Amino acid sequence: MPRKSSVTESSDTKSQRTRSRILDAAARVLSVKGYAGTRLTDVAKEADLQAPAIYYYFKSREDLIEEVMFCGISDLRHYLQAAIDALPDDLSPMDRIMVAVESHLRHELELSDYARASIRNSGQIPKRLKTRQQKEESAYNRIWRGLMRDAVAEGQIRDDLDAPLAQALVLGALNWTAEWWHPRRSSVETMVANAQVFVRYSLSPVAKTARPRRRR
């Protein structure tokens, strides 16, 4: 997803655009080749720059990757929060979770190379590069925790589930789609619809049915 500069008319506009181009290119390369396979020469080629030019904007390969990883989860969090804030107050907690499922998948699969890069490489990058990313992950998880808590309070989560564990399982499944989904296999719309059905009926209380009467 292109990251638009907040700078408008100033002497830094060209510099900001170039920095954004480098980040966009790094996100695309990282989302495909992973942490170990990402080389500055590949990023430079994607950004249509000479590799040494990257060092004007980022001190090292690690600094560039750290920024991409942070932007990925930060953008995802802001995208989800905006979607939740736009919902009507009377929408049920479970329907809010369905909106969160759609927001996560659309941003991850369709809108943002940054999100895919961050999700796919979260377990690969060194711990020293994770500080800002982990803070954003915690903030993102808090949004989901609030959604789950509201659903529990309204009796919309089955009582044999541990809500935090269920949340972790849901997010794990959503994140994993970045590893196997391909647009030739199915559309994002189909992916979202299937995920919503899967999550809704995994979390919702099981309807009680009357036992059949014994024949005498």
Side-chain angles (χ1 to χ4, degrees), residues 1 16 19 59 67 71-72 81 88 107 125 128 166 196 202 212-213 215:
M1 180 179 70
Q16 290 289 339
R19 186 178 189 276
K59 293 180 180 179
E67 182 70 13
C71 290
Q81 189 63 64
H107 200 263
I125 65 171
R128 68 180 184 277
Q196 287 175 326
S202 296
R213 297 178 65 180
R215 294 182 179 180

Side-chain angles (χ1 to χ4, degrees), residues 76-91:
L76 182 62
R77 178 175 69 85
H78 284 96
Y79 186 78
L80 173 59
Q81 189 63 64
I84 296 298
D85 290 344
L87 296 176
D89 293 338
D90 60 350
L91 194 67

Side-chain angles (χ1 to χ4, degrees), residues 66-102:
E66 191 274 342
E67 182 70 13
V68 170
M69 296 292 288
F70 166 74
C71 290
I73 188 63
S74 179
D75 288 353
L76 182 62
R77 178 175 69 85
H78 284 96
Y79 186 78
L80 173 59
Q81 189 63 64
I84 296 298
D85 290 344
L87 296 176
D89 293 338
D90 60 350
L91 194 67
S92 74
M94 183 58 71
D95 285 335
R96 288 175 179 270
I97 291 175
M98 294 303 102
V99 170
V101 169
E102 179 174 7

Side-chain angles (χ1 to χ4, degrees), residues 5-144:
S5 171
S6 60
V7 179
T8 53
E9 298 296 329
S10 75
S11 60
D12 288 335
T13 300
K14 183 178 179 180
S15 177
Q16 290 289 339
R17 286 200 302 264
T18 302
R19 186 178 189 276
S20 294
R21 198 160 86 240
I22 292 170
L23 281 169
D24 290 345
R28 285 192 290 273
V29 173
L30 189 62
S31 70
V32 174
K33 295 192 173 184
Y35 174 76
T38 295
R39 300 286 182 265
L40 289 185
T41 51
D42 296 327
V43 174
K45 183 178 180 181
E46 184 75 28
D48 195 22
L49 294 169
Q50 294 297 317
I54 294 176
Y55 289 104
Y56 178 81
Y57 300 92
F58 299 94
K59 293 180 180 179
S60 66
R61 169 182 175 271
E62 284 70 25
D63 284 349
L64 174 58
I65 290 175
E66 191 274 342
E67 182 70 13
V68 170
M69 296 292 288
F70 166 74
C71 290
I73 188 63
S74 179
D75 288 353
L76 182 62
R77 178 175 69 85
H78 284 96
Y79 186 78
L80 173 59
Q81 189 63 64
I84 296 298
D85 290 344
L87 296 176
D89 293 338
D90 60 350
L91 194 67
S92 74
M94 183 58 71
D95 285 335
R96 288 175 179 270
I97 291 175
M98 294 303 102
V99 170
V101 169
E102 179 174 7
S103 296
H104 188 105
L105 287 175
R106 285 198 180 279
H107 200 263
E108 173 189 9
L109 302 179
E110 184 178 51
L111 301 178
S112 178
D113 291 326
Y114 290 82
R116 283 192 299 279
S118 183
I119 290 169
R120 296 189 70 182
N121 292 280
S122 183
Q124 298 181 30
I125 65 171
K127 188 175 181 180
R128 68 180 184 277
L129 302 181
K130 290 185 175 183
T131 302
R132 289 197 302 159
Q133 177 194 354
Q134 288 177 333
K135 289 181 179 178
E136 282 295 308
E137 286 176 352
S138 295
Y140 184 73
N141 285 332
R142 281 196 295 272
I143 299 175
W144 273 86

